[in-house]
Amino acid sequence: MTRRPVIGIPLDSEDGGGYSALPWYALRKNYCEAVARAGGTPILLPHDPSQAETYLDMIDGLLVAGGAFDVDPALFGAGEKHGTVVLKEGRTDFELAVTKGAHARKMPILGICGGQQLLAVVLGGTLIQHIPDEVDDPLAHEQPNPRTEPGHMVVVTEDTLLHRVTGTLQFPVNSAHHQAVKAVPETLTVNAIAPDGVVEGIEDPAHPFCLGVQWHPEYSISPADDAILAAFVKAASA
């Protein structure tokens, strides 16, 4: 039997409340379901930066998921923190360690929503801390309709990894974020833009598969979403 590629997904975490009064880990089921549907075997990674290299020895690809929190602005050189910014330092510390390690190994990486923002910062980019304060006439990037429905379109840059994977230059996406990538170094490529100019995708052309998307392809809003997960898992099986 052919071995399915193992995809590591860092968990989300809370200090307590809801599921348990004590600190707990969690992850939406559709992340794991989407990876399995694409042909991978998902495993979930707790937040221990000292174990990052051990985890990387166990997996074939890294998927950095989104969450209701933000990357510390100090990590990309911002002098002030916007009042809307919410931090999860333990999760961010681990995701920084495991993402840097995966990138150094040329391991396939897929960053989703906040995972794209983390990936951008790891690779030298900066972030918009709150879209309504920095973008003129912005779209509702925290869409009012359900996440299982489209929120807006994205336009894809030709001859990018995202273009090759999806085979299209425009498709609908869902949207659940108040931050976005602001600027990236010349070593990275912006591969998708929203109608209001907000960056929706980035990639590292020097890496075999290093892709960030601002939306949530695990919801399978369009065939492009399924193609992204399939290409990521295929890269992890190489």
Side-chain angles (χ1 to χ4, degrees):
M1 176 180 285
T2 302
R3 176 181 174 274
R4 292 164 65 99
V6 177
I7 305 300
I9 311 175
L11 288 152
D12 196 7
S13 64
E14 294 290 348
D15 290 335
Y19 172 74
S20 171
L22 298 175
W24 48 271
Y25 287 119
L27 189 75
R28 266 191 288 107
K29 288 173 62 178
N30 62 346
Y31 282 110
C32 297
E33 292 166 346
V35 166
R37 188 167 59 246
T41 297
I43 66 169
L44 307 182
L45 309 179
H47 305 160
D48 184 351
S50 70
Q51 296 277 8
E53 292 298 322
T54 300
Y55 294 148
L56 290 169
D57 289 340
M58 299 166 58
I59 65 177
D60 304 300
L62 176 69
L63 190 161
V64 185
F69 75 108
D70 305 297
V71 176
D72 188 342
L75 292 171
F76 51 90
E80 296 183 359
K81 183 176 73 172
H82 193 276
T84 59
V85 168
V86 175
L87 303 182
K88 289 187 177 180
E89 295 177 356
R91 176 173 172 180
T92 296
D93 289 345
F94 173 69
E95 290 183 339
L96 286 170
V98 76
T99 302
K100 288 176 181 177
H103 188 265
R105 294 179 183 221
K106 301 288 187 181
M107 178 181 288
I109 302 170
L110 176 61
I112 292 178
C113 196
Q116 174 191 239
Q117 295 163 14
L118 185 284
L119 179 63
V121 171
V122 165
L123 300 180
T126 62
L127 302 180
I128 293 171
Q129 292 194 47
H130 190 56
I131 290 170
D133 286 1
E134 296 191 47
V135 177
D136 293 333
D137 196 21
L139 295 170
H141 287 277
E142 293 187 286
Q143 68 183 53
N145 53 313
R147 303 296 188 253
T148 52
E149 301 173 358
H152 61 77
M153 301 294 290
V154 296
V155 175
V156 178
T157 306
E158 287 192 71
D159 300 322
T160 58
L161 172 63
L162 183 63
H163 181 211
R164 294 192 296 274
V165 163
T166 62
T168 184
L169 292 174
Q170 184 170 297
F171 55 88
V173 300
N174 55 13
S175 193
H177 60 105
H178 79 108
Q179 298 199 334
V181 173
K182 185 173 186 176
V184 295
E186 293 182 356
T187 52
L188 300 183
T189 299
V190 173
N191 57 30
I193 299 287
D196 60 2
V198 167
V199 172
E200 291 283 329
I202 62 169
E203 59 190 60
D204 181 355
H207 191 286
F209 193 105
C210 182
L211 176 66
V213 296
Q214 187 58 73
W215 62 94
H216 285 269
E218 73 276 12
Y219 281 95
S220 190
I221 299 296
S222 78
D225 287 341
D226 295 334
I228 290 166
L229 268 299
F232 167 59
V233 171
K234 181 179 180 180
S237 69

